[in-house]
Amino acid sequence: MKKTYFIHTFGCQSNKSDSERIAGDYEARGYEPAKSWDNTDELVVNTCAIRKSAEDRARAFVLKVVKSYADRNLPKPKIIFTGCMLHHGKNKIMEMVTAIDEILPVNEVGFNQSAVRRDKKHAWVPISAGCNSFCTYCIVPYSRGREQSRSMEEIIIEVEDLVKKGYSEITLLGQNVNSWGLEKMGISLRKMLMSDEKFTREMIPNNQSQYLKPEGTPPFVELLQKISAFPEIKIIRFLSSNPWDFHDELVAEIVKNKKIDRYVHLPVQSGSNTVLDRMNRGYTTADYAKVVEKLRAGDPEIVLGTDIIVGFPGETDEEFNETVEFAKKMNWKVGFVAMYSPRPGTAAHRLYHDEIPYPIRKKRWEILDQIINKDNLNNRPKIV
Ligand code: SAH
Ligand code: SF4
Ligand code: F3S
């Protein structure tokens, strides 16, 4: 009988997409998918570290699994722990979650095979891994490392394969999709510094972008055009965009290319400029609103969604009210509102100690969630 595997995934779409590739690797090694975690030879727990609650859920899940097998007098499956919690280091994880057998980075669990996709029409396609930004609250640059774009060639080969298999909807994934394929500042700055040409302070971009402004068509726009050129591909989505590197050419492409979904996800994180500054987001609410205005002016059918963190350290009533007012102005269709969760190792955790008490964070979450998700309260995004 073939050995079985099951993957339990926490966290964002990038993690779900990684799990599809881990599944591919298992199947290439001759394993069969188990129907559930409660009857499998190997269990991969693909973790998320974005908030403490996500880590707590992973821990509780492992405990539940171990208890369930013990209650039935069955040998427990081999438990492999992977994903974004690995940034804690093996020793700390072993302390946090005993009963796991192996702690392996995603690429070592198995990542080299094509994805095993359950959905037959829609496919996730990762275009970059990691993140080059340093939003002060965020663990992702540490858990997933620096941003690396996959090559155009590799992505197009994957799309061709999907088209052959009958897929018609694609969601491109990355922490900053608009920055895909851009030339990194780090390298280019060094180049500039080494060249004989005059180098001035003004040559360093003053926003959050870690990249040079592209000449001509930005690579991400080119990628969208190449994928749209497949007649079989009918809908293209992408996650996540950020206000930086949201070039005018990208706005123009979204406006005119109707294969691109009219729903655009654009996290703002806060509607208060002072909070945005503490978050090191590198833009103001006016910069954000400008992108939104351009999109809506180009095509009034475009709808927007966002991510917001409430209760960032030191967030005053006034700052929170600025976010409320901004939300009313932006009129997002959906908002993933999250309560701030301090992440050890991040800049915010070290810099800011004026934590907002839980009841206030909760109250702010409720207020904002009601305002943004008023039209879809029954199926609104649930992250707290
Ligand atoms: N790259 C994307 C998404 C990153 S993670 C972006 O830049 O927007 C998904 C969401 O989790 C973020 O948008 C943010 O709203 C939330 N988040 C990240 N760190 C958090 C923290 N420490 N506490 C609460 N929410 C957090
Ligand atoms: Fe990167 Fe900031 Fe998004 Fe975190 S929130 S993944 S640091 S861009
Ligand atoms: Fe995603 Fe969670 Fe990692 S949101 S990138 S799985 S920390």
Side-chain angles (χ1 to χ4, degrees):
M1 219 172 68
K2 281 190 177 176
K3 279 185 115 183
T4 56
Y5 75 95
F6 189 84
I7 307 169
H8 192 82
T9 310
F10 294 92
C12 65
Q13 301 310 340
S14 293
N15 252 23
K16 291 183 183 128
S17 167
D18 285 356
S19 288
E20 292 182 337
R21 275 150 219 269
I22 297 172
D25 208 88
Y26 266 99
E27 298 196 6
R29 284 185 276 137
Y31 282 70
E32 264 180 5
K35 286 204 178 58
S36 157
W37 56 265
D38 62 13
N39 188 9
T40 182
D41 295 317
E42 290 200 16
L43 176 64
V44 178
V45 186
N46 195 1
T47 61
C48 170
I50 205 79
R51 281 170 286 274
K52 184 173 177 295
S53 56
E55 298 193 338
D56 291 343
R57 279 199 295 274
R59 258 201 316 242
F61 173 70
V62 174
L63 288 176
K64 177 171 86 177
V65 170
V66 173
K67 184 172 183 306
S68 158
Y69 280 80
D71 285 351
R72 291 176 289 149
N73 279 325
L74 291 172
K76 80 169 180 52
K78 180 175 172 190
I79 302 178
I80 297 150
F81 211 69
T82 189
C84 288
M85 277 178 78
L86 262 62
H87 76 94
H88 286 296
K90 290 193 175 180
N91 293 343
K92 174 96 190 286
I93 294 173
M94 273 305 189
E95 265 172 42
M96 289 164 94
V97 209
T98 46
I100 45 189
D101 300 286
E102 272 191 83
I103 299 170
L104 290 176
V106 167
N107 57 340
E108 287 177 34
V109 185
F111 207 56
N112 298 319
Q113 301 296 329
S114 43
V116 171
R117 297 182 160 97
R118 306 278 172 237
D119 196 318
K120 297 295 166 220
K121 200 169 114 194
H122 164 260
W124 307 101
V125 176
I127 62 169
S128 63
C131 181
N132 272 357
S133 303
F134 284 104
C135 307
T136 53
Y137 50 81
C138 187
I139 198 70
V140 174
Y142 311 98
S143 65
R144 285 185 169 255
R146 308 302 285 153
E147 194 165 288
Q148 272 184 312
S149 292
R150 285 175 83 196
S151 72
M152 173 78 88
E153 202 190 350
E154 214 181 299
I155 298 168
I156 295 300
I157 289 173
E158 184 161 354
V159 173
E160 275 167 359
D161 184 52
L162 288 167
V163 164
K164 265 188 226 141
K165 290 178 177 146
Y167 284 85
S168 58
E169 294 180 23
I170 282 186
T171 303
L172 304 173
L173 291 177
Q175 299 300 338
N176 290 306
V177 283
N178 349 101
S179 316
W180 179 81
L182 289 176
E183 192 177 359
K184 288 193 178 66
M185 274 305 296
I187 303 160
S188 315
L189 262 184
R190 206 164 47 230
K191 254 199 255 165
M192 277 192 241
L193 288 166
M194 277 160 56
S195 83
D196 291 337
E197 279 171 43
K198 199 169 155 234
F199 181 76
T200 62
R201 170 68 184 83
E202 289 71 46
M203 286 163 78
I204 306 171
N206 61 1
N207 65 10
Q208 179 85 3
S209 176
Q210 308 292 313
Y211 300 91
L212 282 182
K213 188 164 182 348
E215 280 169 27
T217 311
F220 182 58
V221 174
E222 232 176 281
L223 181 67
L224 289 172
Q225 291 168 345
K226 285 233 162 85
I227 297 176
S228 312
F230 288 90
E232 298 87 346
I233 299 292
K234 305 291 184 212
I235 302 177
I236 305 169
R237 303 183 182 90
F238 44 85
L239 278 174
S240 281
S241 290
N242 277 298
W244 60 88
D245 293 330
F246 210 111
H247 306 106
D248 286 349
E249 292 88 341
L250 177 58
V251 173
E253 183 66 24
I254 296 171
V255 166
K256 73 162 192 273
N257 181 346
K258 305 296 181 199
K259 284 192 177 183
I260 298 175
D261 194 12
R262 296 299 90 184
Y263 173 82
V264 177
H265 193 70
L266 191 60
V268 69
Q269 308 301 358
S270 172
S272 156
N273 286 330
T274 39
V275 174
L276 284 174
D277 185 58
R278 295 205 292 283
M279 289 175 164
N280 190 30
R281 289 288 286 183
Y283 55 83
T284 61
T285 50
D287 298 330
Y288 180 95
K290 220 180 278 166
V291 177
V292 171
E293 276 157 29
K294 283 182 203 166
L295 285 165
R296 287 185 172 151
D299 182 354
E301 302 273 291
I302 290 176
V303 289
L304 285 124
T306 201
D307 292 359
I308 296 185
I309 298 173
V310 293
F312 188 79
E315 186 185 65
T316 61
D317 284 339
E318 206 181 343
E319 286 172 328
F320 175 66
N321 285 335
E322 285 169 2
T323 298
V324 168
E325 290 312 311
F326 195 62
K328 290 180 186 160
K329 224 167 87 189
M330 286 298 106
N331 199 18
W332 293 290
K333 190 176 163 60
V334 287
F336 291 84
V337 184
M339 289 190 282
Y340 175 72
S341 169
R343 304 285 60 217
T346 59
H349 186 249
R350 282 173 60 178
L351 289 172
Y352 310 121
H353 303 291
D354 35 3
E355 236 184 76
I356 305 297
Y358 179 79
I360 299 179
R361 270 184 288 158
K362 185 83 202 296
K363 186 82 207 141
R364 288 181 182 170
W365 179 84
E366 281 165 5
I367 293 171
L368 205 60
D369 178 55
Q370 283 286 332
I371 290 171
I372 302 176
N373 297 313
K374 57 186 178 315
D375 297 333
N376 45 334
L377 280 179
N378 290 330
N379 58 353
R380 73 183 188 285
K382 262 204 197 69
I383 45 164
V384 258

